[in-house]
Amino acid sequence: MSFLRKDESEARRVEKLTRITDVLVERIDRLEAGRGSAWSMFQAAVALEQEVEARTRELEQALADLSERNRELAVARAAAEEANRSKTRFLRAASHDLLQPLSAAKLFLSALTDSPLDDFQSELAQRLSGAFDSVEELMHAVLDISRLDSQRIEFQRKPVDLAALFRRLAIEYAPMAESKGLRLSFVPSSAVVESDPVFLRRIAQNLISNAIKYTDSGGVLVGVRRRAGQAWIEVRDTGIGIAAEDRTRVFDEFQRIARDGGAPGMGLGLSIVRRACAKLGHPIAMDSTPGRGTVFRIGLPLVEPGVSAGAPGAGRAGPSLRGRVALVVENDDAMRRAYELLLGDRLGMVARVAGATTEALAMMGDEPPDVVIADYNLNNDDTGLRSIESLRRAAGLPVPAILVTARRDPDIGRACMAMAVPMLEKPLRPEELQAVLQRLLG
């Protein structure tokens, strides 16, 4: 079909052709416009793809860097954990060698103070005793912090009779308070609480020692308040007090309250209290007025009446030890001599000393001793527990025994409990050994 007819005029034909041309031009314009939009979209897609590839490469590099940092962090963490384990192993191994001579020195000093001395010699003995006490306190603090920082620490929770604990603490800290002219009072209590006896004693020791150090006049009062099913041990003093801005930092390591005169502390006691209470779940509270004194409170769960309780090494004065036979198994020459002086000269006992299990067995013969005192670390992989077990087996009797050790190992504590053997830590206090001997032989 033709749009142009032969019978049409020239003008009509030109008009039709013009319209057709306009339509074609319009279609071409639309096609060109459409093709331009698609080209733009194609170019945009290509640019976007390039941007995505660049960002992907950056993300991959960031992930690689993060992975490398994580590997470095893992290596650093492993190194830190190994360093901490090495520190713990070192302290555990070194504690015996460090505390052994200190324990012997304190026993020798105890024997010296029991002998006649002039004023100058008495002063020297007192100063030596104070120096040894400071060294002992520092070593115990370092070892306690190491134990509390260890992830493997195990607590022996059991009922603890606070009356027995208070009696022991009163005997232990009365000389320290008397030397400063202070009153140290313990309010009698029938409360029985649940805690680790050893660490509860360490908590109370640090609070009482701290109170005495920072009190120049008046005294220190220790008692118990029952509130909401808990027993709160309170240690009150009339000392210098703690300012509000210092009440948080006093629980940090090596933090001391500024004061004029007086013996400075090490700044570790309250840090040990905080760590031990956090591990045991015992809440701590404190109130203080600068210039008037401070009170620390430790919350402990009460135990139902009728449950047996005790405190390690606690007990009232026992019978005379004179004439009783003590077989000592100790591999250190200085400690053996110190035991002879303490047991023989001071307590009137018959002291037989041996350096190893085999020697102790030969020395015992057919006459079992009244008590065995054995050091845990003996020569040639021998231990005090094996010595006690061998002596009991040879005697055919559960001979009373005491284990003395510088190692704070929960496995040793469990073994002693299983064998019904009291465990004393070095450096050994003569009064503590005497109290346990009187309890065992009573």
Side-chain angles (χ1 to χ4, degrees), residues 232-277:
W232 288 81
I233 293 181
E234 294 189 354
V235 180
R236 294 177 174 269
D237 65 63
T238 57
I240 63 174
I242 303 173
E245 62 270 18
D246 293 327
R247 292 178 188 175
T248 300
R249 73 177 184 89
V250 293
F251 289 100
D252 297 334
E253 294 84 355
F254 304 109
Q255 296 296 323
R256 304 177 180 90
I257 301 300
R259 59 178 305 192
D260 296 328
M266 295 177 297
L268 292 174
L270 292 181
S271 172
I272 293 171
V273 169
R274 176 180 59 82
R275 291 169 187 254
C277 287

Side-chain angles (χ1 to χ4, degrees), residues 84 112 123 146 149 227 310 401:
N84 189 56
L112 177 63
E123 181 185 356
S146 176
D149 284 344
R227 293 177 182 169

Side-chain angles (χ1 to χ4, degrees), residues 115-271:
S115 61
L117 301 174
D118 58 32
D119 293 341
F120 178 68
Q121 292 169 334
S122 297
E123 181 185 356
L124 289 180
Q126 290 177 356
R127 291 186 180 277
L128 280 172
S129 179
F132 282 135
D133 288 342
S134 297
V135 173
E136 177 186 355
E137 185 179 356
L138 177 59
M139 292 177 65
H140 275 305
V142 172
L143 291 171
D144 284 341
I145 288 177
S146 176
R147 286 185 67 193
L148 291 169
D149 284 344
S150 172
Q151 298 300 319
R152 295 181 62 253
I153 186 172
E154 296 181 25
F155 294 106
Q156 304 295 323
R157 296 176 183 269
K158 60 181 69 174
V160 180
D161 181 1
L162 293 185
L165 177 63
F166 283 2
R167 285 196 297 271
R168 182 178 184 181
L169 292 170
I171 295 172
E172 186 174 354
Y173 285 97
M176 183 178 179
E178 289 174 2
S179 67
K180 296 189 65 176
L182 302 176
R183 297 185 308 275
L184 176 60
S185 305
F186 288 80
V187 179
S189 174
S190 60
V192 177
V193 299
E194 181 184 285
S195 184
D196 181 291
V198 175
F199 273 99
L200 179 58
R201 179 181 169 226
R202 294 294 292 156
I203 290 170
Q205 284 176 322
N206 281 302
L207 290 178
I208 295 171
S209 173
N210 204 65
I212 295 174
K213 284 178 184 176
Y214 288 96
T215 301
D216 297 323
S217 62
V220 177
L221 176 66
V222 184
V224 179
R225 291 183 186 272
R226 299 174 188 246
R227 293 177 182 169
Q230 282 192 315
W232 288 81
I233 293 181
E234 294 189 354
V235 180
R236 294 177 174 269
D237 65 63
T238 57
I240 63 174
I242 303 173
E245 62 270 18
D246 293 327
R247 292 178 188 175
T248 300
R249 73 177 184 89
V250 293
F251 289 100
D252 297 334
E253 294 84 355
F254 304 109
Q255 296 296 323
R256 304 177 180 90
I257 301 300
R259 59 178 305 192
D260 296 328
M266 295 177 297
L268 292 174
L270 292 181
S271 172

